[in-house]
Amino acid sequence: MSKGEVHSQCAGYSLSVPNVQSLATSLDKSSQIPERYVWSEANVNPIARTNEIELPIIDLAKLIDPEFSKEEAAKLHRTCQEWSFFQLVNHGVPGELIEGLKANTKEFFNKPLEEKMVYKQDNDGTLQGYGQMFLLSEEQKLDWSDMFYVITRPVALRNMKFWPTSPSTFRDNMDRYSLELTKVASCLWQYIATNLGVAPEVFEQLFKDHPQGLRFNYYPPCPKADKVIGIAPHSDASGFSILLQINDVQGLQIRKDGEWIAVSALPNALIVNLGDITEVLSNGIYKSIEHRAMINTQHPRISLVAFHGPDNSLMLRPLPEVVGDGKLNYGSMSYQEFMKAFFNKKLEGKSAIEKLKL
């Protein structure tokens, strides 16, 4: 890749808007929420049930254990078909690393705004830094959140000016966590490939160098939480995404069978959700799923999402090994063009993948 080429993980731009964390601190129960943050969908699409449900659990230790692998791999296949979201336990990411990264993330978001703005996005097309994403017009509805995003892999694409030097262990923990997740991703791709009837080596080539970006999300509390949305309903334009809850405030909701369902996470489990790339590669055997983040009235929610994408040169289309003699359900498009289209429009359900359906 040439020095000037924008990697497809982040080929877009975003308008600047006021910092939501600062806005939230100025509000009380009698305050009016600025109109651009008020979403009718927050009331139009309520959750289907008030109690949170636990997502299916996949045990990575069992998946790689010859004694249990066949059964756990079959469970993974069913879960990918029926849910597209699952919790991963016994994943091998050291607990001390997770706890250190959680502490770093909380400390970063608790810093004064001027300190965080040292790492602000500079609209260079990469979307890296502190700010927001997918803001393309002055009329667009706004998410009730701030985020901090960096490209972590391939390592050659890292721009260290966006990597905070404080807390002092933040950079090292981000680097270690990024590496640990590539190990997790490699293992999952191996079993996903096998479950689809594809040689694992094919997926190794598709996802070589493990393209990865980390997005740290801060969802401030809002006294009128039923009027705002932390992040609009969308599916991820990734192979899969891996979410870590930084604090114990829940807010993730998924759309299953046409209804919104609130889900909860086990402590230190990794939540994996399949993205649009996997839906196309699998010819729709596995589907990406819409999800959104809702807001708590009293407490902030903080999360970290790692996006795992394919090699930048990929021509996105269903794999011949999966299609066989069956019906082709998706057309083809270069991955770079797909990602440019994704980042240069507002988040809106599964609109990014609709144009590929035949």
Side-chain angles (χ1 to χ4, degrees):
M1 183 184 312
S2 67
K3 185 176 180 181
E5 183 179 347
V6 176
H7 195 266
S8 294
Q9 284 185 355
C10 51
Y13 73 97
S14 187
L15 298 175
S16 297
V17 296
N19 180 263
V20 183
Q21 188 175 357
S22 297
L23 171 62
T25 61
S26 68
L27 300 178
D28 57 34
K29 291 182 179 179
S30 62
S31 300
Q32 284 291 110
I33 308 299
E35 187 60 32
R36 287 192 69 191
Y37 293 95
V38 177
W39 288 68
S40 60
E41 289 86 350
N43 287 320
V44 171
N45 294 316
I47 58 174
R49 59 191 79 176
T50 55
N51 58 310
E52 293 172 342
I53 64 164
E54 263 192 15
L55 292 168
I57 297 171
I58 299 297
D59 189 323
L60 191 60
K62 287 184 177 180
L63 200 58
I64 62 177
D65 186 330
E67 183 178 352
F68 303 103
S69 183
K70 184 177 180 180
E71 179 182 352
E72 200 67 14
K75 182 180 178 183
L76 174 64
H77 184 50
R78 291 193 304 272
T79 299
C80 288
Q81 285 182 302
E82 297 170 6
W83 283 86
S84 303
F85 256 85
F86 58 88
Q87 300 186 82
L88 193 67
V89 300
N90 294 324
H91 42 67
V93 182
E96 54 84 16
L97 172 57
I98 287 177
E99 293 306 318
L101 190 57
K102 286 181 176 181
N104 292 156
T105 305
K106 292 173 186 175
E107 185 176 341
F108 175 79
F109 281 119
N110 283 334
K111 286 181 177 294
L113 178 59
E114 59 268 23
E115 292 187 32
K116 289 177 288 195
M117 291 301 286
V118 170
Y119 306 101
K120 70 178 181 178
Q121 296 164 322
D122 57 13
N123 282 327
D124 62 354
T126 72
L127 294 176
Q128 292 189 92
Y130 180 67
Q132 287 86 18
M133 284 187 177
F134 305 103
L135 304 178
L136 305 172
S137 78
E138 297 294 344
E139 293 76 38
Q140 185 179 331
K141 289 293 184 182
L142 300 177
D143 295 333
W144 195 259
S145 59
D146 300 312
M147 71 95 203
F148 169 67
Y149 176 74
V150 290
I151 295 173
T152 45
R153 295 194 178 271
V155 173
L157 291 181
R158 292 180 178 180
N159 188 337
M160 299 309 294
K161 78 174 185 179
F162 294 114
W163 289 52
T165 56
S166 177
S168 61
T169 57
F170 203 2
R171 281 188 171 188
D172 184 57
N173 283 336
M174 288 166 62
D175 179 53
R176 290 176 58 202
Y177 185 72
S178 169
L179 178 60
E180 290 294 333
L181 286 196
T182 64
K183 300 174 186 176
V184 172
S186 291
C187 189
L188 288 176
W189 284 132
Q190 175 183 340
Y191 288 95
I192 287 172
T194 302
N195 282 338
L196 290 171
V198 179
E201 295 78 19
V202 173
F203 269 64
E204 285 179 16
Q205 190 64 23
L206 291 173
F207 295 92
K208 67 181 180 181
D209 295 328
H210 299 286
Q212 178 196 74
L214 297 183
R215 191 179 75 204
F216 299 79
N217 302 302
Y218 188 92
Y219 303 100
C222 180
K224 297 179 181 177
D226 61 334
K227 303 292 186 184
V228 299
I229 290 180
I231 190 167
H234 66 286
S235 59
D236 290 345
S238 60
F240 54 62
S241 305
I242 301 177
L243 180 143
L244 175 68
Q245 277 287 129
I246 298 297
N247 62 2
D248 58 3
V249 178
Q250 306 295 333
L252 175 64
Q253 296 181 1
I254 64 173
R255 192 196 292 270
K256 181 167 171 56
D257 301 324
E259 296 182 313
W260 286 106
I261 300 173
V263 299
S264 62
L266 294 171
N268 287 350
L270 300 175
I271 296 182
V272 181
N273 76 283
L274 303 182
D276 295 340
I277 304 302
T278 298
E279 177 171 335
V280 175
L281 293 175
S282 71
N283 201 36
I285 293 175
Y286 300 157
K287 289 186 167 59
S288 60
I289 188 171
E290 280 186 74
H291 51 287
R292 65 184 184 183
M294 304 306 284
I295 299 302
N296 190 284
T297 56
Q298 297 179 303
H299 305 288
R301 174 177 177 252
I302 312 173
S303 67
L304 166 58
V305 184
F307 299 98
H308 291 258
D311 181 74
N312 205 41
S313 64
L314 175 73
M315 177 57 69
L316 182 58
R317 57 191 168 206
L319 293 170
E321 301 94 320
V322 178
V323 178
D325 295 327
K327 179 179 178 292
L328 190 67
N329 295 322
Y330 302 84
S332 62
M333 176 185 289
S334 77
Y335 175 60
Q336 293 189 40
E337 287 302 314
F338 180 80
M339 292 305 287
K340 285 178 183 176
F342 178 79
F343 277 108
N344 286 307
K345 65 179 297 185
K346 67 177 183 178
L347 284 180
E348 192 171 20
K350 294 186 61 171
S351 59
I353 201 173
E354 289 301 318
K355 65 181 69 174
L356 279 172
K357 289 184 177 179
L358 297 177

